[in-house]
Amino acid sequence: MKFYIVDAFTENVFGGNPAGVVILPEGADFPSDELCVKTAAELRYSETAFIKQLAEDEFQVRYFTPAAEVDLCGHATIASFKTLYLAGIIKDNTTVMNHTLAGDLNIEIKDGFVLMDMAKPVRIFEIKDEDKLEELYKVMGISYQEQKQKGLTLTPQAVSTGLPDIIMPVATLEDLQAIEPDMKALSDLSARYEVVGVHAFTTACEDATCHTRNFAPLYDIDEEAATGTSSGATTYYGYLNGFVKSGDECKYIQGEKMGRPSVILSNIEVECSADGCEEFNPENAECYIKVGGDAVILAEGEIHI
C-alpha cells in the first residue's frame, strides 16, 4: 500500500495539520480494523485516511486515529484528495464523491484547492447551567466567571457537521492561548457528553472570523493544529449565534500555540422554505457548509502488511 505524510490546511511543509494517507491498491479491500488502527498508531498522526477507489470519480474513505475509527476527519480529507490530485488519480476542476461513515460528501477540486461538503449541521445541545459551565471552563484551565466579567455572552454548544464537538467561546485571544486542559478530566467529560472533544474559539480578532484551538484527548489527540469538521461546526455555531450570515466566507486560524499555523476556510449557504429566514428555524431552512484548504506532501513510501 502506498502511504503519504501530508500537511493539510497549509501551503508550506511543517505547517498546518499532518495526516497519514494510505491509498489501497486497485481492487484491494480495506485491511482489518485492527491493522488500520495499528498503522495509524505507527504513523503517529492524529488521523490516517485509508482510500479505496470505487470508480473514476468515486471513493470510499475510512479514518482512523491511533485509538479507533472515526466517522469523518476534515484535515485528513483535505490531505487525501489533494494527494489523489497530485498523484494524477483525479483531475483539477472536478467534483468527486467521498463515501464516509458520516455520509456521502462531494469533494470539489478547484484550481488545486480542495473543498469538501460537511454533513448536515446539527446543534445537539447547549450548556447553560452555571455549575456545568464552571466545570467545563475549569477543565479547560480557565475561569468561566472571569470570562463573564470580560463580557463573554455566548454559551458553549455541542454542534456536529460530521463529528460532535463542544464549541466553546472565550473572550480574548489571550484567553484562548491560556487554555491548558486537564486532559484526563477532558477525556472523561467528552465521554460523558458523547462528543469528540472541545473546540475553543474567540471572535476577538481582526485577521479572521475566529482564532481557534481543538482538544480531543478521548481519541488520543491532546491538541490538533487544524480541524476541518470543527471549523464547519463553528461556522454553523456562528450562524446560529449571529456572527456568521448565509453566503459568508469564513476564515479560521488554528495551530498557532503548536507552532503549526493553519488556515481553514469555510462557506455557508442557507436555503429557506418559508419567509422570515433571518430568524433561523431549522424546520424552514436547509443549511449547506463547505470547508476547504490546501495541502502539501512531506513524504511518501510503501507499507508492507
Side-chain angles (χ1 to χ4, degrees):
M1 297 186 297
K2 189 81 171 179
F3 83 92
Y4 300 82
I5 296 170
V6 186
D7 293 331
F9 294 116
T10 182
E11 296 179 350
N12 304 304
V13 294
F14 305 117
N17 197 3
V21 174
V22 178
I23 300 178
L24 303 184
E26 184 177 355
D29 205 351
F30 291 99
S32 69
D33 290 4
E34 179 184 5
L35 280 177
C36 288
V37 169
K38 285 183 175 179
T39 300
E42 193 76 10
L43 291 176
R44 294 181 174 87
Y45 294 106
S46 58
E47 277 90 5
T48 293
F50 292 78
I51 306 171
K52 179 179 180 180
Q53 185 168 8
L54 304 177
E56 182 180 357
D57 59 354
E58 193 173 357
F59 300 85
Q60 182 181 359
V61 182
R62 297 177 65 187
Y63 306 89
F64 288 83
T65 76
E69 184 173 13
V70 294
D71 290 353
L72 184 66
C73 173
H75 81 275
T77 300
I78 299 299
S80 294
F81 285 88
K82 181 71 175 194
T83 299
L84 290 169
Y85 163 68
L86 292 173
I89 297 172
I90 55 179
K91 297 178 181 178
D92 202 3
N93 298 308
T94 58
T95 298
V96 299
M97 176 61 67
N98 181 19
H99 297 283
T100 77
L101 291 178
D104 296 341
L105 308 175
N106 288 320
I107 306 293
E108 182 182 0
I109 312 299
K110 186 176 181 181
D111 299 327
F113 188 82
V114 182
L115 291 168
M116 56 181 278
D117 282 348
M118 293 285 97
K120 182 179 179 180
V122 179
R123 174 166 55 183
I124 304 166
F125 61 80
E126 183 175 5
I127 302 176
K128 293 182 177 181
D129 179 82
E130 286 277 335
D131 290 340
K132 291 182 178 179
L133 287 165
E134 288 287 0
E135 176 191 37
L136 171 61
Y137 282 80
K138 182 179 179 181
V139 165
M140 299 303 289
I142 57 178
S143 164
Y144 176 67
Q145 290 303 321
E146 289 182 4
Q147 293 297 297
K148 283 178 53 177
Q149 291 169 8
K150 292 180 179 182
L152 183 69
T153 57
L154 296 170
T155 56
Q157 299 174 14
V159 179
S160 175
T161 54
L163 294 174
D165 274 304
I166 294 174
I167 309 302
M168 190 189 91
V170 298
T172 69
L173 278 170
E174 291 75 18
D175 295 320
L176 185 70
Q177 297 306 312
I179 289 174
E180 294 290 345
D182 178 332
M183 294 300 177
K184 175 62 169 63
L186 177 54
S187 183
D188 293 343
L189 190 75
S190 299
R192 175 152 47 92
Y193 278 120
E194 298 183 341
V195 297
V196 172
V198 171
H199 194 69
F201 77 93
T202 182
T203 59
C205 54
E206 296 181 355
D207 58 344
T209 307
C210 303
H211 284 236
T212 65
R213 294 178 69 189
N214 185 273
F215 308 90
L218 181 62
Y219 288 87
D220 290 347
I221 305 166
D222 285 354
E223 184 168 3
E224 195 162 49
T227 317
T229 52
S230 300
S231 297
T234 304
T235 301
Y236 189 56
Y237 177 104
Y239 181 71
L240 295 176
N241 289 277
F243 62 84
V244 172
K245 296 181 174 60
S246 178
D248 278 0
E249 302 284 338
C250 301
K251 175 183 177 182
Y252 302 104
I253 298 176
Q254 189 179 332
E256 296 163 293
K257 184 80 171 183
M258 303 173 68
R260 299 188 69 99
S262 305
V263 177
I264 304 130
L265 306 177
S266 74
N267 61 61
I268 179 170
E269 297 289 343
V270 180
E271 296 179 0
C272 294
S273 58
D275 293 332
C277 289
E278 290 77 9
E279 299 297 327
F280 179 76
N281 182 336
E283 295 181 357
N284 67 16
E286 287 291 335
C287 187
Y288 302 94
I289 295 173
K290 291 181 181 288
V291 169
D294 206 347
V296 290
I297 295 173
L298 173 65
E300 60 186 270
E302 292 286 339
I303 296 176
H304 302 286
I305 56 174

